[in-house]
Amino acid sequence: MRSTEDYVSAAKRNLFVPAANMEKLGTETLPRLENSGGIYVYDEDGRRLMDGPAGMWCTQIGYQRKEMAEAIAAQAMALSYNSPWYTTNSPAIELAEKIAELTPGDLNRVFFTTGGSTAVDTALRFVEFYNNVLGRPAKKKIIVRKDGYHGSTSLTAACSGREGNWKNFDIANEKIEFISSPNPRLHPGLSGSELVEQLAGEFESKIADLGPENVAVFLAEPLLASGGVIIPPSGYHARFKEICDRHDIIYISDEVVTAFGRCGEWFASEKVFGVVPDIITFAKGVTSGYIPLGGLAISEKLVARISGKEAKGSFFGNGYTYSGHPVSCAAALTNIEIFERDGLLAHVREIGPYFQSSMQALAQLPLVADVRGNGLVVCIECLADKNAAGVTDLDKKIGARIDEIAFEQGLIVRPLGNMCVLSPPLVITKSEIDDMVAILKEAIVRTA
Ligand code: PLP
């Protein structure tokens, strides 16, 4: 066994991780996790930590599910890989069929990718291809929202409206247009329906300015997860879809975070947010993070317009070596079986209100300016001065400080500047929620 010091020095020397603080590269490393079980992970010293963010919003069924390990091993022994260009495999076919059954509307054509970024990238490339095949090459503009996050490829990072993802990258993309974040907190004087109308008006004006013949797609998360769990006012998505339909604009719902139970449904678009989009992207929860997989489900109507004789000889020249990877698809099928057998969606619908009301109790504490969420995802927004209009540089350090104290007490929090996001594994129980809230409370009180 290698010693802790040995791991630390090798990590400092050779490991380069996402969002690395370059000033500290080579001098600092991250906590090393070694083991897990249920909603907990264990660090290098065997210390138990409650996994508040479920990894990266993904470990829905919890850790150490033996059936997952067995399904992965069995598929790796049977067929560990096949080229998706020349062949296919049974798990990919079965998973496409299953996802088509679970998606709303006629979103029945499923393309597999390697994760969320490649799912959104493929969805955008599909729309580009679609408009070119239809002979309207000018219809290319992509409308996205400030505070959105869609991934880390060049195209999806450019679609992400959070400046932190942009610094020192050449991110500009002339096809991309931003509109306002649907954040009710930024519009305290407006009712929900007034805000929907104001945002819809801005969307219509943007389309009119660009010319509808130039606008291809509206890309939106149902709730803006990495932007701080921003929940648009009721009716927002349906109103935007109606505008899209009027202008022949494709509506892509990025469900990389919300799909597979986070809001108590397989997909949140229709049943939670009242919209049947044209394309849904998914990743993370589809395998509960046991192995990488992403994908998109596309409306049959769209596909029909550019396939068969309408295809005019074209090939959809987009794909990945690991599209429809048999081991990933086998893991996803087992993951879905576990959801069904354990009634996980019903569990989230039942325990979600308890989770949200327990978190709401923290709103009384000093520092806490807002608590908002849906199902098993919540954001606690903090401000040194609760009534201040903007976020100061000092406020931006609060999330990290709360995380630091919570970590000492055995809870991992996802800090996002002045916000803390919690999205635990869906198998969490009421008493585990109580433990989580108690630690958070102490961490917030000690930070204040
Ligand atoms: N879309 C959304 C809404 C996300 O939250 C994320 C990641 O958090 C992505 C896309 C990118 O997914 P991935 O990191 O799997 O590439």
Side-chain angles (χ1 to χ4, degrees):
M1 264 261 287
R2 294 178 72 164
S3 68
T4 295
E5 295 68 38
D6 200 18
Y7 271 117
V8 167
S9 64
K12 286 181 182 169
R13 218 172 32 244
N14 297 124
L15 197 58
F16 195 17
V17 297
N21 179 342
M22 298 307 284
E23 278 184 18
K24 295 185 176 163
L25 193 69
T27 61
E28 263 193 4
T29 179
L30 298 170
R32 182 167 51 89
L33 302 181
E34 278 289 330
N35 217 324
S36 61
I39 69 156
Y40 298 95
V41 289
Y42 295 82
D43 75 4
E44 55 211 284
D45 303 319
R47 209 163 71 86
R48 192 176 83 156
L49 296 157
M50 186 185 277
D51 188 2
M56 205 67 186
W57 343 74
C58 58
T59 53
Q60 320 296 69
I61 59 172
Y63 293 94
Q64 281 208 2
R65 303 293 289 242
K66 196 154 175 258
E67 290 150 278
M68 290 296 282
E70 284 168 355
I72 289 168
Q75 186 57 47
M77 287 303 290
L79 175 73
S80 55
Y81 179 75
N82 68 286
S83 158
W85 271 263
Y86 311 114
T87 56
T88 184
N89 63 70
S90 317
I93 297 169
E94 284 178 40
L95 184 61
E97 179 180 49
K98 184 71 192 175
I99 287 175
E101 187 189 311
L102 303 178
T103 47
D106 73 339
L107 276 66
N108 296 333
R109 184 61 61 177
V110 181
F111 187 99
F112 292 114
T113 69
T114 55
S117 305
T118 49
V120 179
D121 205 289
T122 295
L124 293 169
R125 296 197 78 208
F126 173 81
V127 177
E128 183 179 302
F129 176 83
Y130 172 88
N131 281 317
N132 286 339
V133 172
L134 289 180
R136 38 192 210 187
K139 203 165 170 63
K140 289 292 159 55
K141 294 279 186 191
I142 300 168
I143 300 184
V144 290
R145 282 101 42 92
K146 291 176 190 149
D147 288 333
Y149 179 69
H150 299 288
S152 215
T153 63
S154 282
L155 181 57
T156 58
C159 288
S160 298
R162 297 173 59 229
E163 280 169 29
N165 300 116
W166 293 7
K167 209 169 171 201
N168 291 318
F169 288 101
D170 295 336
I171 213 89
N173 184 318
E174 76 288 349
K175 285 185 195 164
I176 296 165
E177 298 285 334
F178 282 90
I179 54 174
S180 297
S181 165
N183 186 350
R185 265 181 63 72
L186 301 178
H187 306 274
L190 295 185
S191 70
S193 55
E194 285 167 344
L195 180 54
V196 170
E197 280 321 301
Q198 178 172 310
L199 295 167
E202 181 193 353
F203 187 42
E204 293 261 26
S205 305
K206 177 65 90 178
I207 295 167
D209 289 349
L210 296 168
E213 67 286 3
N214 298 319
V215 181
V217 54
F218 174 59
L219 167 65
E221 298 161 82
L223 57 78
L224 294 85
S226 302
V229 192
I230 294 165
I231 314 227
S234 167
Y236 169 90
H237 289 289
R239 184 81 173 85
F240 271 57
K241 177 70 166 78
E242 177 266 311
I243 296 170
C244 287
D245 287 348
R246 220 169 342 105
H247 298 295
D248 200 5
I249 294 169
I250 291 172
Y251 186 122
I252 302 175
S253 182
D254 182 357
E255 290 228 35
V256 165
V257 167
T258 50
F260 296 95
R262 183 59 50 205
C263 300
E265 299 290 344
W266 291 113
F267 294 93
S269 295
E270 182 189 24
K271 295 207 172 136
V272 184
F273 293 95
V275 65
V276 178
D278 299 304
I279 299 177
I280 286 181
T281 54
F282 59 86
K284 299 185 188 277
V286 66
T287 56
S288 283
Y290 276 76
I291 197 161
L293 181 66
L296 52 148
I298 312 172
S299 152
E300 276 177 7
K301 269 194 267 354
L302 290 192
V303 176
R305 284 184 77 181
I306 54 157
S307 55
K309 59 180 183 336
E310 310 303 329
K312 303 178 195 104
S314 61
F315 291 83
F316 184 54
N318 174 86
Y320 305 96
T321 299
Y322 300 130
S323 282
H325 194 286
V327 180
S328 302
C329 292
L333 286 166
T334 301
N335 180 51
I336 293 171
E337 267 168 43
I338 293 173
F339 263 77
E340 288 177 333
R341 191 200 56 212
D342 293 358
L344 257 190
L345 298 182
H347 174 70
V348 176
R349 290 198 290 267
E350 197 204 312
I351 208 165
Y354 183 78
F355 177 73
Q356 295 298 336
S357 63
S358 307
M359 292 291 171
Q360 275 302 333
L362 301 174
Q364 313 307 322
L365 298 178
L367 278 193
V368 180
D370 193 33
V371 178
R372 53 182 178 263
N374 187 290
L376 282 180
V377 55
V378 77
C379 174
I380 299 162
E381 180 159 3
C382 298
L383 293 173
D385 172 3
K386 274 197 193 199
N387 301 314
V391 179
T392 64
D393 284 345
L394 190 68
D395 291 332
K396 287 183 188 154
K397 297 190 173 137
I398 295 176
R401 180 69 191 134
I402 293 173
D403 177 44
E404 201 180 324
I405 300 172
F407 197 87
E408 281 164 19
Q409 305 296 315
L411 169 68
I412 302 175
V413 168
R414 173 142 193 238
L416 283 168
N418 67 320
M419 302 179 278
C420 293
V421 171
L422 284 308
S423 55
L426 307 185
V427 290
I428 195 165
T429 62
K430 281 189 174 174
S431 77
E432 289 166 338
I433 291 173
D434 295 344
D435 294 346
M436 180 184 272
V437 173
I439 296 177
L440 272 173
K441 186 172 176 185
E442 183 183 335
I444 294 168
V445 168
R446 280 175 53 192
T447 301

